[in-house]
Amino acid sequence: LGRMKPVIVVHGGAGRIFKEREEGCRAGVVRAALRGYGVLKQGGSAVDAVEEAVRSMEDDPHFNAGCGSVLNEKGEVEMDAIIMNGKNLDSGAVSAVKCIANPIKLARLVMEKTKHMLLTDHGAHLFAQAMGIPEIPKEKLITVRSRERWKKNLEPDSNPEEFQKDLGTVGAVAIDSEGNVACATSTGGLSNKLIGRVGDTACIGSGGYADNHSGATSTTGHGESIMKVVLARLILYHMEQGMSPEVAADTALDYMKTRVGGLGGVIVVNKAGEWAARFSTKQMSWATVKDDNLHYGIHAGEQHIKSVDEALASEREGF
């Protein structure tokens, strides 16, 4: 068997990325891609790599996942996450989890330590305890920015929909040297959402999907729209029909826009290691590493390329 060249692609969410946050978002996706690629280079699996990349972004307050998650109507953080292994279609997800730093770690434990695929709220909390995952005070996940946005959205004349455009769900897809693919997605959801609202992220086929027979994808954007068209699975379906990752992504995003008026973004890798990062929103922060080259961007048509060595050097100097 010919060894595959490993590839990782990450996104930090589609939407409107405000000027003052661009640098942080760029640095965050680049760091996540480099970390995930490091795992692959050392012979780690695609599942290890996507978990590591997403964990890196959960810990980064620039993104709406883990620390930095948006708040629900009651001012609390409720997070969703999913991970999927394309080798055997195993998947694990959690929804409406509170007080843990890395929902993606918990999702992986659901995949590997239970016979189930999705645990929610109190049950997910009990499972986290049983697995020895430390509980952290909920304040630790709340940033000043999330708190301010929540307050603004409570004002009688506010339109939370306006603020939803800066979503910041995070995700990763990868193919490892064995040719196995995986995806992972994690989010704090929608600002000022109803308590108990679960979006696309925790739903297999919507927030992500991975199958060695075709490829892997992770999505971001308006969750309810993504769920209506089962966006992640739709993209893989298009690739099964022979479309390239880029055409498959654009076709599916276009369908979501025309059919239900939903905007979003996706990252894709196919079983041959070809990748795409596409979005119908104003922006999406993304980064990918393939052949020891790092590619990254935020705006439509923007793509910077650096060698991994150069990127790692500037990483150490603090971007």
Side-chain angles (χ1 to χ4, degrees):
L1 269 176
R3 304 283 281 172
M4 274 302 297
K5 281 187 177 161
V7 182
I8 184 145
V9 195
V10 306
H11 70 73
R16 188 178 53 191
I17 296 164
F18 299 106
K19 264 281 174 280
E20 72 274 11
R21 299 171 43 71
E22 272 190 26
E23 274 313 285
C25 287
R26 243 189 222 110
V29 288
V30 165
R31 185 179 305 119
L34 290 171
R35 284 196 183 163
Y37 192 65
V39 170
L40 294 170
K41 279 302 257 193
Q42 286 156 15
S45 68
V47 171
D48 290 338
V50 294
E51 180 189 8
E52 178 57 32
V54 165
R55 200 187 56 73
S56 162
M57 292 183 285
E58 286 177 339
D59 291 344
D60 185 330
H62 278 94
F63 303 108
N64 173 17
C67 175
S69 288
V70 298
L71 311 185
N72 67 13
E73 56 177 354
K74 277 276 196 293
E76 293 178 329
V77 165
E78 285 186 315
M79 301 167 292
D80 302 337
I82 194 168
I83 194 163
M84 186 167 182
N85 182 345
K87 190 176 181 174
N88 51 13
L89 305 189
D90 276 354
S91 179
V94 291
S95 74
V97 295
K98 306 175 178 79
C99 303
I100 63 164
N102 298 110
I104 200 65
K105 273 183 150 153
L106 190 57
R108 179 157 185 186
L109 289 169
V110 171
M111 173 168 83
E112 291 178 350
K113 306 283 186 206
T114 77
K115 292 190 174 71
H116 307 310
M117 285 170 80
L118 172 58
L119 291 180
T120 191
D121 199 353
H122 183 57
H125 172 74
L126 294 175
F127 176 65
Q129 280 180 329
M131 289 289 118
I133 290 198
E135 203 172 308
I136 61 167
K138 53 185 181 206
E139 289 68 45
K140 274 248 171 31
L141 296 171
I142 297 178
T143 57
V144 171
R145 180 168 166 267
S146 301
R147 174 77 68 203
E148 279 173 1
R149 164 179 305 183
W150 172 72
K151 283 207 181 104
K152 223 178 197 149
N153 286 345
L154 290 178
E155 291 165 10
D157 57 349
S158 85
N159 175 11
E161 289 299 304
E162 256 319 287
F163 289 93
Q164 298 314 359
K165 300 202 168 75
D166 181 18
L167 291 163
T169 295
V170 305
V173 295
I175 187 165
D176 60 29
S177 54
E178 308 281 308
N180 293 317
V181 299
C183 69
T185 313
S186 180
T187 190
L190 290 178
S191 189
N192 297 62
K193 63 191 178 181
L194 295 181
I195 290 171
R197 178 264 188 185
V198 178
D200 64 296
T201 300
C203 301
I204 188 172
S206 293
Y209 202 82
D211 182 349
N212 281 6
H213 294 163
S214 43
T217 180
S218 168
T219 67
T220 165
H222 185 244
E224 282 72 14
S225 299
I226 290 170
M227 291 159 95
K228 286 174 187 177
V229 302
V230 198
L231 186 62
R233 190 65 191 84
L234 181 60
I235 291 164
L236 292 194
Y237 166 77
H238 287 319
M239 292 200 302
E240 285 155 11
Q241 304 302 304
M243 287 184 191
S244 69
E246 190 162 304
V247 175
D250 286 347
T251 304
L253 284 167
D254 194 50
Y255 174 72
M256 183 167 83
K257 192 173 174 178
T258 52
R259 186 70 180 88
V260 297
L263 300 179
V266 299
I267 49 172
V268 191
V269 64
N270 71 7
K271 63 181 181 187
E274 300 167 319
W275 62 274
R278 308 294 293 169
F279 47 99
S280 53
T281 51
K282 279 218 168 58
Q283 285 118 350
M284 178 177 80
S285 53
W286 62 273
T288 185
V289 185
K290 181 180 181 175
D291 291 334
D292 288 320
N293 278 316
L294 163 77
H295 307 245
Y296 60 98
I298 284 187
H299 301 277
E302 174 195 0
Q303 183 171 160
H304 307 277
I305 304 178
K306 277 184 184 178
S307 78
V308 164
D309 292 341
E310 190 191 339
L312 284 169
S314 57
E315 225 352 53
R316 282 189 288 273
E317 290 152 24
F319 219 77

